[in-house]
Amino acid sequence: MNSARRCSALLSQMSRGGSATRTPAAAAAHAGRGGASPRLNPSGAVGPVPAPACPMGGGSSSGGGRLFGTLARALNSTPMTQPVPYLEESPDHDLEGDLAEVDPHQLLRECEQALQRRPARPHRDLVRPVSTAPCSHDNGPLVRVLQWNILAQALGEGKDGFIRCPPEALNWHERKYLILEEILTYQPDILCLQEVDHYYDTFQPIMASLGYHGSFLAKPWSPCLDVEQNNGPDGCALFFRCSRFTLQASAHLRLSAMLLPTNQVAIVQTLQCQLTGRQLCVAVTHLKARSGWERLRSAQGADLLQSLRSITSQRSGPWGASSGPIPSIVCGDFNAVPSEDVYRRFSSSPLGLNSAYKLLSSDGQTEPAYTSWKVRPCGESCSTLDYIWYSQGALSVDRLLDIPTEEQIGPQRLPSYHYPSDHLSLLCDFSFREEPRRLM
């Protein structure tokens, strides 16, 4: 089956139950927007349009496990088995090795076709930090990392109570297209996700068909399981592009606090760049939510940092000599504002970590005003909770995806018809710094 037909077959599983026709005005906007300008509703006016009633969506997660059942069987010659959780070293099953890749551009076009009745994501620029000189790329091509809490479907519909978000905007039948559209638009080399409750029926087969290796680790007591007709527990997922990296080691961690296991997890993987041979340690996590749990978050962060120090402490250089710690990138929804202790732990860690999004500020020292902005019955919450930490001695930041303005986010806040999650995606292009020359 050729790439275009594979894309159509893949997305046909996602398209049952509803279709729409692009109006001439919308078609003109689509031709010129490049994925950036607002989609138009059928009358030609900019703004959200209620999603059509869809038998497989209906505002419920029910049937979510069936959406990609046929696709998963087609993509995988062996059954997808969930990895044994909470082992310090958990081998990842290589289910993607023999898959024929689909065309991401074709898949993106079909996502846009499915979303033609919704307003587009407002444009976000990739900007260069003020204090950073353009990268020469002498040490290899850029490594693009995307971090995102995508909002678990069961929580969005069943627990979170977003009082300004229309229920139709949370319909999984279309919301998943918005998530995929964002990923396909930026095509990261490394993708770190939290609140993933559709890993095996959606993200694993889709990302595998695009040439990514995936790993997933569920929370042991996921709140999704309290929601009727849930799609299983939510957890963290980490994907990397197989054409760029090879997996050298993988650790699935259940984070502890005061020596007691908690409900939060992390995936830590050591990758090797196929183009440069450089090693990179990547971690994804999601710390405890809610105010009043600051000490627990701090303890969880300390536990993760201790594991990272152990994992990155040694790497092999030429002739087996140690060449220093492995550079690290740590992505996650920390559920912590910059004034919290867990933030200070990471910024002062011996790993030499810096928060990439501070570099958007004029002084390079200030986090964005928000990465999450939502309205619940208890009130409005606008705060920075999500971070991309990196080893500033070994990695440099070339570009960052900017933060939407209040006007772009709109009065509904997050999520909405054009933002599928209550968290914004973060994206950073990294390059390796030149390694210091060593005496022979």
Side-chain angles (χ1 to χ4, degrees), residues 253-258 260 262 297-309 345:
L253 308 177
R254 183 172 175 181
L255 300 179
S256 296
M258 286 71 76
L260 296 175
T262 69
R297 283 193 287 271
S298 180
Q300 290 176 335
D303 185 42
L304 178 55
L305 285 169
Q306 183 177 0
S307 296
L308 288 171
R309 289 186 67 182
R345 282 186 183 273

Side-chain angles (χ1 to χ4, degrees), residues 81-205:
T81 56
Q82 190 165 357
V84 179
Y86 319 126
L87 297 179
E88 183 173 349
E89 292 295 333
S90 177
D92 290 280
H93 301 281
D94 186 8
L95 302 172
E96 298 87 355
D98 297 327
L99 298 179
E101 293 186 23
V102 302
D103 179 3
H105 302 290
Q106 174 68 17
L107 200 57
L108 177 59
R109 287 192 293 270
E110 296 197 25
C111 283
E112 292 173 341
Q113 175 71 15
L115 293 166
Q116 60 187 317
R117 292 178 59 87
R118 287 199 178 203
R121 296 171 293 108
H123 178 72
R124 296 173 66 184
D125 288 320
L126 278 165
V127 297
R128 198 178 305 280
V130 176
S131 58
T132 303
C135 297
S136 65
H137 301 180
D138 290 340
N139 297 307
L142 297 173
V143 177
R144 174 163 291 184
V145 178
L146 195 154
Q147 144 65 28
W148 200 7
N149 179 329
I150 60 173
L151 176 59
Q153 183 64 23
L155 300 183
E157 287 188 308
K159 290 182 77 77
D160 280 338
F162 302 114
I163 61 177
R164 291 190 189 173
C165 179
E168 296 86 357
L170 294 172
N171 184 341
W172 181 243
H173 178 80
E174 290 190 348
R175 194 173 78 87
K176 62 178 172 281
Y177 286 107
L178 279 174
I179 298 171
L180 291 170
E181 182 186 47
E182 183 105 347
I183 295 169
L184 289 163
T185 295
Y186 298 112
Q187 297 188 43
D189 300 301
I190 297 169
L191 174 64
C192 296
L193 302 177
Q194 300 86 43
E195 289 199 25
V196 180
D197 63 346
H198 278 273
Y199 178 80
Y200 291 102
D201 64 1
T202 302
F203 292 101
Q204 194 280 336

Side-chain angles (χ1 to χ4, degrees), residues 6-74:
R6 282 179 59 81
C7 289
S8 297
L10 184 154
L11 282 170
S12 68
Q13 300 296 319
M14 304 169 64
S15 304
R16 299 176 186 170
S19 61
T21 303
R22 186 183 298 277
T23 64
H30 172 78
R33 77 182 182 92
S37 302
R39 294 187 189 91
L40 305 183
N41 67 28
S43 67
V46 176
V49 180
C54 301
M56 296 196 68
S60 171
S61 295
S62 63
R66 300 192 303 271
L67 286 176
F68 287 87
T70 303
L71 172 64
R73 288 193 295 273

Side-chain angles (χ1 to χ4, degrees), residues 14 18 25 46 58 87 116 136 141 199 208 211 213-214 282 290 314 333 341 350 372 374 378 391 406 410 421:
M14 304 169 64
V46 176
L87 297 179
Q116 60 187 317
S136 65
Y199 178 80
H213 177 282
V282 181
R290 311 297 183 195
Q314 292 184 348
D333 174 3
D341 187 59
S372 177
K374 50 201 160 193
C378 58
S391 299
E406 178 179 358
S421 174

